[in-house]
Amino acid sequence: MPTDPPIVFGPLRVHVDPVRAKAYARETGGDGQTVPLAYPAVWLTDPTLATLLNDLCAAQAAIPVHESQSFHYDQPLHHGENYDIHIEIRREETPPRLIIEATVLNMHKTQVAKIDAMLRLVPRAGLGAAV
Amino acid sequence: MNATINIGDKLPEMIIGPFEADDLMRYAEISGDQNPLHLDEALAKTIGFSAPPVHGMKVLAAFDAMLRRWRQDYEIIGLSGKFVQPLLRGERATLSGRVLRASEKEVFLRLFAHGPSRLPAIIGEATLRPKSLDAT
């Protein structure tokens, strides 16, 4: 059940760094010839977005646990290309979650991909002082 | 000529791992996911894991390579996964997949990543499209 209005973030200009994309492919069993499907996950660790997510979790006295992830492509990503990501973050109450929906556009403003991530918010209480 | 894909077809299984601390550190550096839970053994134990969990994305992303090796005449247009049970550092996972729907335009697969636990680490889905459709 939605609780607050969604937070709209972006557009965030991102880049498929060929060196990083090939390194990501190597770490996940790929050959590096194509951009890995999951490569946009690296964009979702952008410090500005991470700070926003950390603040949302702190407000709920919770830690995020990655519950699910999806990538849907209209076109493949290409090494060396720039893209803009528009992000919407929604909070759900039952169960407590953050839903991150990202739309990836190319420089012609054509949609290339949709990326969704679901983070379960686990209360810090009971986890001790370690988190 | 490439073989037709039919409902019920199984992908060749692929074993990944075991992933050690260096592997997790390298993935953290490349992906930017520096969550200490994946890197700090003491923290993982405090939360109840016997070893740090492998980044779920590292396991999910491995299906990309598996699917590309299976059918190079298809492109992957969708990949998703639910992280059910953590795969822990030092553990192997077996990736498997089965065709649930198949047409001339699209193939839909159910994917599993199984570690040593009874529950799968990941239950996923993938959608593939023949590359020949892009040429039309």
Side-chain angles (χ1 to χ4, degrees):
Chain A
M1 185 174 78
T3 52
D4 306 320
I7 297 169
V8 177
F9 180 84
L12 183 68
R13 177 65 52 88
V14 294
H15 178 69
V16 179
D17 172 8
V19 174
R20 193 178 187 188
K22 287 175 184 176
Y24 190 91
R26 277 196 305 275
E27 290 307 314
T28 55
D31 60 11
Q33 297 298 307
T34 54
V35 179
L37 290 174
Y39 181 75
V42 310
W43 296 333
L44 299 181
T45 63
D46 173 84
T48 317
L49 178 60
T51 300
L52 175 59
L53 293 174
N54 286 339
D55 290 347
L56 289 169
C57 292
Q60 301 299 313
I63 61 166
V65 175
H66 203 171
E67 195 170 62
S68 67
Q69 179 74 49
S70 70
F71 304 90
H72 294 282
Y73 283 89
D74 300 304
Q75 301 173 28
L77 300 175
H78 297 288
H79 289 121
E81 294 289 322
N82 289 328
Y83 298 91
D84 282 333
I85 307 184
H86 296 257
I87 297 169
E88 188 173 295
I89 304 170
R90 290 183 287 111
R91 189 168 71 83
E92 291 185 350
E93 188 95 37
T94 311
R97 285 183 176 131
L98 292 178
I99 315 287
I100 304 165
E101 296 176 342
T103 304
V104 183
L105 306 179
N106 63 20
M107 292 295 95
H108 303 293
K109 302 195 184 305
T110 303
Q111 180 174 311
V112 170
K114 294 272 290 182
I115 304 160
D116 296 341
M118 195 178 288
L119 305 177
R120 185 72 173 264
L121 298 178
V122 178
R124 281 176 178 272
L127 293 177
V131 291
Chain B
M1 184 174 164
N2 294 303
T4 305
I5 296 176
N6 297 304
I7 294 171
D9 283 356
K10 291 182 179 176
L11 278 70
E13 289 186 352
M14 188 168 96
I15 294 173
I16 59 171
F19 301 115
E20 303 300 342
D22 286 352
D23 299 312
L24 303 190
M25 183 69 76
R26 225 172 29 250
Y27 181 82
E29 286 172 4
I30 290 166
S31 69
D33 183 351
Q34 297 282 353
N35 186 339
L37 180 60
H38 303 294
L39 309 172
D40 184 334
E41 183 152 1
L43 173 58
K45 285 186 174 168
T46 305
I47 296 173
F49 297 123
S50 59
V54 176
H55 301 79
M57 279 305 308
K58 180 173 171 63
V59 181
L60 179 63
F63 282 109
D64 185 348
M66 180 196 194
L67 291 162
R68 288 184 202 278
R69 282 174 201 154
W70 178 54
R71 291 298 294 245
Q72 294 182 5
D73 52 330
Y74 278 71
E75 63 177 342
I76 311 162
I77 59 171
L79 175 67
S80 62
K82 183 174 172 57
F83 304 109
V84 179
Q85 179 82 13
L87 182 73
L88 301 182
R89 192 187 70 196
E91 293 179 343
R92 286 189 170 86
T94 302
L95 309 187
S96 61
R98 195 160 71 101
V99 176
L100 293 189
R101 293 198 301 271
S103 72
E104 290 178 356
K105 294 183 177 175
E106 207 168 86
V107 175
F108 179 80
L109 300 108
R110 171 71 66 215
L111 306 171
F112 289 101
H114 272 98
S117 307
R118 186 179 59 83
L119 291 173
I122 294 177
I123 300 175
E125 298 171 355
T127 307
L128 279 62
R129 185 171 57 194
K131 287 181 178 174
S132 58
L133 284 184
D134 292 340
T136 57

